[in-house]
Amino acid sequence: MQSKGLGCHVEKMYNERQGGGDDVARVITKITRQKRNEERYNIYLDEKYAFSVDEAIIIQYGLTKGKSLDEMAVGEIAFDDEVSRAYNRALSFLAYQMRSEHEVHQKLLKAEFGEAVIQEAIQKLTRLGFLNDETYATALAETKKRTSKKGPKAILQDLKQKGIDPKLQQEVVEAFSEEEQLSMAMELAEKKVRQEQRKTPSQIKQKVQEFLVRKGYSFSIVQQVLETIVIQPEEDEWTSLIDLQGEKVWRKYSQKYEGYELRMRVKQALYQKGFPAEVIEQYIEKREQE
């Protein structure tokens, strides 16, 4: 909630006007610095507290004791003071990290600044180089690539969430070359393969495909990666894998089936998991002899 500034006092000043003139001028009789915020000053008109403003507004309008202000001037000061407050609030928000124009806009809306004030503050921030969606979008994309190795689709979603213009979104991801995508996707795939050593080659490739799709890579990139990956377990590795996965399958179907039906059910289940036919036959024969 923004504190009560000049804008909150304009209507009050109108209600206190005496007489029926269209524009009653009043004189600044005192200016005092606030105790809790030394960058804001209280302005007194005709010996009565009227409003408070930032130090920058004091300087901008040359507010000094004895200066006369009509209602139009007060309104202009009120607006510029709100812009100054919104600008300073945005600067504090930007001090922690880069933000998009949309994020700053939403932050100021939540602080209950008016739309016109927000637009003025954003224009000032942009003019002074504190806000630049093109720079921000490029930096965000590079960060997502470097830290998370995200693909174009995921980066597009991130940019959309930050309120980046759709045209700029496309320009940013189009700069993401296919060569770079392949390199990053392969790195992710290799890591995934190492994590899934207890699965069959077909299971591993399925995991890799699902993982890369979630990371935002296109079907074309995913297919190129899958075609490049070579996973060929040794004979003893196949035995270890089928002993591990076959136990669960055998236990499941042996509760309902036996003989030929059990053999077929287990064989089908293990084949779907990517085990070679000869490895499956050896496993079933071993289980039947137990």
Side-chain angles (χ1 to χ4, degrees), residues 127-276:
R127 185 172 66 253
L128 295 178
F130 293 110
L131 268 184
N132 186 315
D133 271 7
E134 184 174 349
T135 300
Y136 173 80
T138 300
L140 179 65
E142 290 301 319
T143 298
K144 295 298 182 181
K145 287 191 289 184
R146 184 178 67 255
T147 61
S148 305
K149 292 184 170 49
K150 286 189 174 183
K153 291 182 179 180
I155 291 175
L156 269 177
Q157 189 61 34
D158 289 331
L159 293 173
K160 182 179 180 180
Q161 290 176 350
K162 298 298 183 180
I164 301 299
D165 180 78
K167 183 178 180 181
L168 181 54
Q169 292 177 30
Q170 290 298 326
E171 290 176 359
V172 170
V173 296
E174 285 173 4
F176 196 174
S177 69
E178 182 173 316
E179 182 181 1
E180 187 178 14
Q181 291 179 51
L182 276 171
S183 175
M184 291 170 55
M186 275 301 301
E187 190 174 341
L188 287 171
E190 290 168 357
K191 181 178 180 180
K192 195 66 176 175
V193 169
R194 291 193 296 270
Q195 293 174 343
E196 304 292 348
Q197 289 297 311
R198 302 178 74 179
K199 292 182 171 60
T200 66
S202 63
Q203 288 174 317
I204 292 174
K205 287 195 172 186
Q206 181 64 33
K207 289 290 184 181
V208 168
Q209 178 176 321
E210 293 170 353
F211 183 56
L212 293 181
V213 168
R214 288 198 303 272
K215 280 289 186 178
Y217 290 94
S218 67
F219 177 77
S220 173
I221 293 295
V222 173
Q223 286 302 112
Q224 290 181 65
V225 169
L226 293 177
E227 290 170 3
T228 303
I229 293 175
V230 177
I231 308 171
Q232 188 58 54
E234 299 295 334
E235 184 175 343
D236 59 335
E237 292 176 320
W238 276 120
T239 300
S240 177
L241 285 172
I242 201 165
D243 283 343
L244 181 66
Q245 297 190 39
E247 173 63 29
K248 184 177 180 180
V249 173
W250 185 271
R251 186 168 59 250
K252 174 184 177 181
Y253 289 110
S254 61
Q255 294 175 357
K256 297 181 179 180
Y257 308 100
E258 59 183 23
Y260 176 80
E261 186 68 16
L262 172 59
R263 169 183 280 265
M264 290 299 102
R265 294 279 183 173
V266 171
K267 182 180 293 187
Q268 181 180 14
L270 292 177
Y271 184 76
Q272 290 175 344
K273 290 179 179 293
F275 287 98

Side-chain angles (χ1 to χ4, degrees), residues 8-21 24-26 43-51 71:
C8 300
H9 294 279
V10 174
E11 184 177 351
K12 179 181 177 182
M13 292 176 65
Y14 271 106
N15 293 334
E16 291 178 349
R17 286 171 55 182
Q18 296 179 355
V24 177
R26 301 172 71 184
I43 307 298
Y44 291 78
L45 298 178
D46 296 342
E47 303 298 341
K48 294 182 179 180
Y49 171 77
F51 53 82
E71 295 296 347

Side-chain angles (χ1 to χ4, degrees), residues 113-137:
F113 287 101
E115 185 64 34
V117 168
I118 293 173
Q119 290 303 324
E120 286 289 331
I122 285 177
Q123 286 181 26
K124 183 177 180 181
L125 290 163
T126 302
R127 185 172 66 253
L128 295 178
F130 293 110
L131 268 184
N132 186 315
D133 271 7
E134 184 174 349
T135 300
Y136 173 80

Side-chain angles (χ1 to χ4, degrees), residues 94-110:
L94 291 165
Y96 300 99
Q97 65 182 65
M98 293 178 68
R99 310 280 185 177
S100 68
E101 181 178 315
H102 174 74
E103 288 179 291
V104 171
H105 185 277
Q106 293 303 112
K107 183 72 173 180
L108 294 179
L109 273 181
K110 188 174 291 187

